[in-house]
Amino acid sequence: MKIVYVYSAVAAKGGVERILVDKMNLLARELDCEVYLLTYNQGAHPVSYALDKRVRHIDLDVRLHAKYRYRGLCRLWEGWKRSRWLCQRLQRTLKEIAPDVLVTATFGDLSLLLRLKGATPLVVESHGGYDHLIDYPLMNWKHRRDICTRYRLLKNADAIVSLTESDARKWRTAYPQVQVIPNVVHLNPTDQYSELAQKRILFVGRLAEQKGIPELIAAWRIIYERHPDWQLDVYGEGELARMCQSVKGLQVFSPVDDIWSKYGESSVLVLTSRWEPFGLVIPEAMSCGVPVVSFEGDGPSSIISDGKDGFLVKNRDITAFADKVCQLIEDETLRQRMGLTARHVAQRYSASYIIPQWKRLFTRLSHF
């Protein structure tokens, strides 16, 4: 089976990029599929995560963003010219490969893919969730036009893959072709688990508004006042990094490749995202035996069983969030029990469980 993933560029070290590379590697390695990654804005940037040698990467070298080097009519000309290049090069490449399935994870190239795909089934991965379909800070006429265009185009996709059942229910109000397949998650690569004895709380993620950094700091101040012998380790970077400076008991570290050792040194993981379609760090931490405290959301609520392997806090209640973390700090028996349960729950997101679901979907769509 030939599977082609089309994505603008895999240059950033982001969650979606990591998920896509992992999935392509597994499809090529475990299912012996012919997997292609087609990019068009990659340029000279290396692929941000290691591709299996069996995954073939083809960059169409369009670099749509290069139009911004110009102004006025020159920018319009460059934009039109490069869009034409994209259409021509993508059409030629798809004809040469003759894929059995096309996959995209963005809305930006939907129109072009639908026009060029012919009889090849098109799968759209929803990494932002249904709410992201209409996620605009302002609603002027251009935004409303974009939303209407997205709605219309998505109706022509052969399958839309949602990460959680709660998100899928929203999609199904307009799209019957929605499937639920969670992300494949890197689980604990060792047989060593956190002893849950160190006085460390962990946060892993971008230091941005979407990740609820202001709420994280507010909750931590309550926790630290009650338990000044504990510390909060934050691994991430972003525009709100400065906000975290000078907060007592909180330390900010740059992202690390060996995050597993950090899970192993922690006793609680906290997640304060304002919206979270999935939340890779949750099952990652759980696979190391670390219980999680999170605000409710489509992703966290689909993974965490409140009171069993972690806590879910309603209504973005900062005081209640701090109370749950303090409960885990003060009750070691509860911490150990939740951590043990979490280890078993995390296995639902292993490659051996998720990849066969993709195989069934691709086989059904392509009649392979």
Side-chain angles (χ1 to χ4, degrees):
M1 182 185 297
K2 294 181 182 179
I3 304 169
V4 170
Y5 282 80
V6 180
Y7 202 68
S8 171
V10 184
K13 277 191 172 292
V16 175
E17 288 81 3
R18 177 178 163 189
I19 290 162
L20 289 175
V21 169
D22 285 346
K23 196 180 304 173
M24 287 184 284
N25 289 345
L26 286 164
L27 288 168
R29 187 167 60 243
E30 304 295 331
L31 300 183
D32 200 29
C33 294
E34 291 185 54
V35 182
Y36 296 80
L37 168 62
L38 297 190
T39 57
Y40 46 89
N41 287 331
Q42 191 79 22
H45 298 286
V47 174
S48 49
Y49 298 97
L51 279 173
D52 189 283
K53 62 182 180 181
R54 284 162 286 197
V55 178
R56 185 179 176 190
H57 175 213
I58 301 172
D59 183 55
L60 303 179
D61 193 30
V62 175
R63 292 173 294 157
L64 293 170
H65 53 275
K67 69 180 181 181
Y68 294 107
R69 299 173 184 168
Y70 305 90
R71 294 182 179 181
L73 292 176
C74 288
R75 179 178 293 182
L76 290 174
W77 164 250
E78 280 293 321
W80 178 87
K81 180 178 68 175
R82 292 174 185 275
S83 294
R84 185 170 176 81
W85 287 353
L86 175 58
C87 181
Q88 292 172 339
R89 295 174 188 181
L90 183 58
Q91 184 176 37
R92 182 174 65 248
T93 306
L94 290 178
K95 186 176 180 180
E96 291 172 356
I97 297 173
D100 297 296
V101 180
L102 271 173
V103 186
T104 184
T106 62
F107 298 130
D109 45 30
L110 257 181
S111 178
L112 182 58
L113 288 175
L114 286 167
R115 183 150 43 99
L116 299 180
K117 76 182 190 72
T120 306
L122 175 64
V123 177
V124 178
E125 296 187 12
S126 168
H127 289 276
Y130 179 79
D131 294 334
H132 189 62
L133 181 70
I134 54 174
D135 182 29
Y136 286 101
L138 298 173
M139 285 293 288
N140 58 33
W141 70 270
K142 290 183 179 179
H143 296 154
R144 294 182 187 280
R145 179 199 63 193
D146 288 348
I147 290 169
C148 290
T149 301
R150 290 180 180 184
Y151 273 117
R152 175 176 54 81
L153 291 173
L154 282 165
K155 287 184 180 294
N156 296 312
D158 295 274
I160 299 170
V161 177
S162 176
L163 301 178
T164 66
E165 185 58 43
S166 58
D167 182 57
R169 285 195 291 270
K170 299 175 186 178
W171 279 104
R172 290 187 185 117
T173 60
Y175 306 99
Q177 72 272 42
V178 173
Q179 309 287 317
V180 178
I181 305 179
N183 282 325
V184 175
V185 179
H186 280 287
L187 300 180
N188 188 354
T190 72
D191 291 328
Q192 297 182 352
Y193 303 94
S194 173
E195 295 180 356
L196 304 181
Q198 299 202 48
K199 296 182 178 182
R200 288 183 177 175
I201 296 167
L202 181 66
F203 173 91
V204 180
R206 285 181 297 107
L207 305 183
E209 292 282 350
Q210 183 259 321
K211 294 295 183 181
I213 299 304
E215 292 92 330
L216 174 67
I217 293 172
W220 172 245
R221 284 182 170 139
I222 297 172
I223 297 163
Y224 186 72
E225 185 176 351
R226 298 184 196 174
H227 298 281
D229 54 334
W230 281 65
Q231 70 182 57
L232 173 61
D233 293 341
V234 174
Y235 284 85
E237 53 191 19
E239 62 270 22
L240 298 186
R242 185 172 296 180
M243 183 181 290
C244 299
Q245 295 175 358
S246 302
V247 177
K248 288 184 178 180
L250 186 157
Q251 286 188 290
V252 178
F253 301 92
S254 297
V256 294
D257 291 331
D258 183 23
I259 192 63
W260 303 106
S261 64
K262 307 309 173 186
Y263 290 134
E265 296 168 358
S266 304
S267 294
V268 182
L269 178 84
V270 291
L271 191 72
T272 50
S273 300
R274 295 180 179 179
W275 55 269
E276 191 67 66
F278 188 74
L280 285 173
V281 296
I282 300 174
E284 283 182 353
M286 291 170 73
S287 74
C288 295
V290 180
V292 182
V293 178
S294 173
F295 287 121
E296 286 188 326
D298 284 335
S301 298
S302 71
I303 302 170
I304 300 169
S305 295
D306 186 40
K308 295 181 179 179
D309 46 40
F311 285 120
L312 291 166
V313 180
K314 297 181 180 180
N315 304 319
R316 303 200 59 76
D317 187 331
I318 292 171
T319 301
F321 189 97
D323 287 342
K324 292 300 183 184
V325 175
C326 288
Q327 185 177 348
L328 284 170
I329 288 174
E330 295 159 6
D331 190 340
E332 184 177 356
T333 302
L334 175 65
R335 208 161 65 230
Q336 294 288 346
R337 185 173 70 246
M338 282 190 169
L340 182 60
T341 304
R343 284 166 50 180
H344 298 297
V345 170
Q347 299 308 309
R348 297 182 306 200
Y349 305 98
S350 66
S352 61
Y353 184 75
I354 302 298
I355 291 299
Q357 298 180 50
W358 282 103
K359 181 182 179 182
R360 287 193 292 271
L361 174 63
F362 291 156
T363 300
R364 176 173 61 80
L365 292 175
S366 64
H367 308 290
F368 191 81

